[in-house]
Amino acid sequence: MARPSPDLLELCRGAVRMVAEVRPDYDTEWAAMKAVAVKLGIGTTETLRKWVRQDEIDAGTRPGTTTEESAQIKAMKKEIAELKRANEILKAAASFFRSRTRPATHTLVAFIDEHKGRFGGVEPICRVLTDHDCKMRLIPGSGHRVSCDE
């Protein structure tokens, strides 16, 4: 999901503040939210309710996962996925590393061609193998050709 634009963030903050300001003028919080949503042209009252609840969580007045914690969790999940992919690449390339000598270029290229679909392309394979002393790089502008630094 893309990062919200500064305009959307400002709309969200302003709407949440507005709900807090006008809340005493209405019988229920929902009525205050509905009025603010209509006034600001926010698609649904439910959207505004979610913004208010998340603001309460971020302020520590309501239990739940803060916006910052959600971002950290998302970053950690991404890192875990990258580490799992690197692990799988290394498992697939284990035969290269057992011999303790660098495999021939044609062998590396064949390995990459065989596994690029499985591991999301050539670049992740080259990065992982390079990190493990099997130096190689993508040739810029070539699509997927590899140069092995022997």
Side-chain angles (χ1 to χ4, degrees):
M1 188 173 150
R3 172 175 277 157
S5 71
D7 293 339
L8 179 60
L9 291 174
E10 191 51 44
L11 172 66
C12 177
R13 289 183 190 116
V16 168
R17 277 193 307 270
M18 207 170 181
V19 168
E21 291 169 5
V22 301
R23 172 60 183 96
D25 300 341
Y26 293 89
D27 292 336
T28 65
E29 185 182 37
W30 182 258
M33 289 178 193
K34 189 171 185 176
V36 170
V38 169
K39 185 171 188 169
L40 297 179
I42 296 169
T44 67
T45 307
E46 178 62 15
T47 297
L48 181 52
R49 186 193 70 76
K50 287 180 181 179
W51 291 351
V52 169
R53 294 299 176 259
Q54 189 61 54
D55 184 69
E56 292 168 348
I57 291 168
D58 290 345
T61 58
R62 176 180 282 271
T65 304
T66 67
T67 302
E68 185 178 335
E69 291 168 337
S70 291
Q72 289 172 340
I73 291 167
K74 182 178 177 182
M76 288 176 173
K77 284 181 176 181
K78 181 179 178 185
E79 183 178 357
I80 288 167
E82 289 171 5
L83 290 170
K84 284 181 176 180
R85 180 171 63 180
N87 231 9
E88 290 300 313
I89 291 170
L90 291 171
K91 283 179 187 176
S95 63
F96 294 159
F97 298 113
R98 273 194 282 271
S99 67
R100 295 185 186 244
T101 60
R102 189 182 189 288
T105 300
H106 66 85
T107 305
L108 287 171
V109 171
F111 173 82
I112 291 168
D113 283 342
E114 181 183 339
H115 293 90
K116 64 186 174 189
R118 178 178 168 199
F119 297 124
V122 173
E123 196 254 317
I125 298 171
C126 290
R127 186 176 51 244
V128 169
L129 294 179
T130 297
D131 288 347
H132 289 82
D133 296 326
C134 195
K135 304 289 185 223
M136 59 180 53
R137 60 186 166 79
L138 217 51
I139 297 173
S142 70
H144 70 276
R145 289 195 5 236
V146 174
S147 169
C148 296
D149 304 330
E150 300 186 65

